């Protein structure tokens, strides 16, 4: 589940970007250092070459697809099944994110 402030934060960021408030920040236009860590270069290259996505990204996409299917579903048994699947996928996502926070 997303945080309730995500939408507000995103809208504020877009407004600041449109008004060019980010234009003269130090390091603007340069890659973020924490994203270009040499020890991760091989893994990053392999993932990019094989069009692989991190597990958290895959799970989030799956949850979004399941929620869309739930909105369209009218059969009560199928809705329950979809809700169980969403809960399972959300639990997996939460565990994956916790592991990433804890172990990197």
């Amino acid at each position: 589940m997303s945080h309730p402030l995500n939408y507000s934060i995103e809208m504020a960021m877009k407004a600041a970007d449109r008004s060019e408030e980010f234009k003269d920040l130090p390091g603007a236009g340069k890659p973020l250092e924490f994203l270009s860590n040499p020890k991760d270069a091989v893994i990053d290259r392999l993932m990019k070459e094989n069009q692989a996505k991190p597990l958290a990204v895959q799970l989030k996409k799956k949850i979004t697809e399941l929620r869309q299917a739930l909105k369209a579903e009218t059969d009560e048994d199928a809705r329950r099944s979809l809700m169980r699947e969403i809960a399972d996928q959300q639990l997996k996502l939460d565990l994956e994110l916790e592991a990433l926070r804890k172990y990197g």
Side-chain angles (χ1 to χ4, degrees):
M1 184 181 290
S2 65
H3 192 278
L5 292 177
N6 282 356
Y7 180 75
S8 298
I9 293 168
E10 185 176 331
M11 295 309 296
M13 297 272 301
K14 286 181 180 179
D17 191 35
R18 281 192 301 273
S19 64
E20 298 187 350
E21 290 180 35
F22 297 139
K23 190 173 113 179
D24 296 325
L25 291 176
K30 296 178 185 169
L32 298 173
E33 281 204 27
F34 68 89
L35 292 178
S36 56
N37 189 342
K39 72 177 185 173
D40 296 332
V42 173
I43 293 171
D44 292 342
R45 191 191 84 228
L46 288 172
M47 288 184 75
K48 190 173 187 178
E49 286 174 357
N50 294 294
Q51 298 175 342
K53 303 269 188 268
L55 180 57
V57 172
Q58 293 173 11
L59 290 169
K60 198 161 186 156
K61 182 179 180 194
K62 175 86 173 182
I63 291 168
T64 301
E65 291 168 356
L66 289 168
R67 286 184 177 159
Q68 292 298 321
L70 180 63
K71 286 180 185 178
E73 187 59 60
T74 56
D75 180 57
E76 201 57 39
D77 290 333
R79 287 181 59 79
R80 277 193 211 98
S81 176
L82 283 169
M83 286 189 276
R84 273 193 295 276
E85 181 68 19
I86 290 170
D88 289 346
Q89 296 298 317
Q90 186 65 51
L91 177 61
K92 288 178 185 177
L93 176 61
D94 292 343
L95 291 171
E96 178 67 16
L97 293 175
E98 180 64 26
L100 285 171
R101 277 191 289 276
K102 206 170 197 178
Y103 305 110

